[in-house]
Amino acid sequence: MLTVRERRDLLGVPIDPLTLGETVALCMAAVEKGEFVEVGVVNAAKIVKMRADAALRDAVTGCDVIVADGQSVVWAARVLRRPLPERVAGIDLFQRLMYMAEEQGRSVYFLGAREEVLATMVSRIRAQHPRLRIAGSRNGYFADDEAPAIADAIKGSGADLLFLGMTSPKKEVFVATHGERTGAKVVHGVGGSFDVLAGVVKRAPRAWQRMGMEWLYRALQEPRRLGGRYLTTNAAFIRLVAGEWARSVRSSSSTDHK
């Protein structure tokens, strides 16, 4: 496994202090050297879920590289004096890796989303990256007992990079259990990115992303499904950060008075 700078601990979650460019370089170096790299991304909602879901927590913390997918995570790290250089959004990393794969003649595999969404995304990617070698693709709807055969099929495709467009914790558990079996050198769970690249869901404008309000833009598109979920997890995340900050202040004050 390629080494990176010392990780930051944020609310019990280890995060690598990497920029987007550094993460891309690390992944492509792994492909070049034939080393396996499992990329994990965390945002506020996932950090909250990890506290109650042991399988998700183990799957994420077991990743070789873990980056801050959410701007709120970067802000929280700054507040808690464990700074991260920048947000590394999963979809941005996904797109940059496809670009580099096309440039370097590497092959990719897409696993996830509904069949019609997947087909639309693959068609768009072929148009945008005409020289990209697409080793194969499969929708993300399968039973747990089908996973080993799917991993073997991916290995048979010879894909260098595997992108999983599935929800948590399914994608994390698949990667933790079958990631190396796929034979891919880089495995990256990209969540709902397939829907965005297929044009089914609109990504927030840059201004919203810079303000850390991408979650709100997403919730406004599907208020019934996502509104309550985001409000609940965001509130829980704020409470966790505030509690950690208060503990650090008390600890600092206690040390100062000794």
Side-chain angles (χ1 to χ4, degrees):
M1 163 50 198
L2 297 165
T3 57
V4 296
R5 292 192 295 272
E6 184 177 352
R7 284 178 161 175
R8 308 283 194 262
D9 182 285
L10 184 69
L11 304 172
V13 179
I15 303 177
D16 293 302
L18 296 169
T19 64
L20 175 60
E22 289 170 339
T23 308
V24 171
L26 187 151
C27 289
M28 297 312 296
V31 174
E32 179 68 26
K33 295 182 179 181
E35 298 181 2
F36 177 73
V37 169
E38 179 185 342
V39 180
V41 298
V42 292
N43 55 24
K46 190 177 292 185
I47 288 176
V48 170
K49 290 176 184 176
M50 286 168 64
R51 299 177 78 85
D53 188 331
L56 176 60
R57 182 173 63 252
D58 291 345
V60 172
T61 58
C63 289
D64 302 294
V65 177
I66 306 172
V67 291
D69 177 55
Q71 185 61 44
S72 58
V73 175
V74 176
W75 288 339
R78 192 177 304 158
V79 168
L80 298 177
R81 298 182 180 179
R82 296 154 202 172
L84 299 167
E86 66 180 17
R87 177 192 184 201
V88 181
I91 188 170
D92 292 335
L93 179 58
F94 176 23
Q95 291 180 293
R96 286 282 292 274
L97 287 174
M98 282 196 293
Y99 171 81
M100 294 303 297
E102 181 180 28
E103 287 293 301
Q104 297 181 16
R106 302 297 184 177
S107 58
V108 302
Y109 193 104
F110 305 115
L111 175 62
R114 302 190 309 276
E115 188 61 44
E116 60 272 23
V117 172
L118 179 64
T120 299
M121 184 196 73
V122 170
S123 177
R124 288 188 170 199
I125 288 174
R126 288 190 190 280
Q128 294 165 2
H129 300 277
R131 294 183 294 112
L132 178 64
R133 293 168 52 202
I134 299 178
S137 62
R138 191 202 187 282
N139 69 64
Y141 291 82
F142 54 87
D144 291 343
D145 60 2
E146 295 179 272
I150 292 171
D152 290 340
I154 296 169
K155 184 172 184 177
S157 76
D160 296 305
L161 299 96
L162 167 63
F163 300 107
L164 296 99
M166 302 187 293
T167 57
S168 296
K170 185 173 183 177
K171 68 175 181 292
E172 287 86 1
V173 172
F174 178 88
V175 174
T177 309
H178 306 291
E180 292 196 59
R181 182 169 179 163
T182 66
K185 297 301 177 269
V186 173
V187 181
H188 174 25
V190 301
S193 297
F194 286 14
D195 288 339
V196 175
L197 296 190
V200 175
V201 172
K202 290 183 180 180
R203 191 180 182 192
R206 290 289 182 185
W208 288 63
Q209 294 177 42
R210 286 194 295 269
M211 291 187 296
M213 301 298 284
E214 194 163 7
W215 66 271
L216 178 58
Y217 189 90
R218 182 76 180 85
L220 289 172
Q221 293 184 68
E222 295 185 77
R224 290 186 178 180
R225 188 172 77 87
L226 299 176
R229 183 192 308 176
Y230 278 134
L231 289 174
T232 299
T233 54
N234 284 354
F237 183 72
I238 291 170
R239 286 196 299 270
L240 289 172
V241 174
E244 183 68 16
W245 178 82
R247 280 190 291 273
S248 67
V249 170
R250 287 196 299 269
S251 176
S252 177
S253 177
S254 174
T255 301
D256 290 343
H257 285 86
K258 284 184 179 179

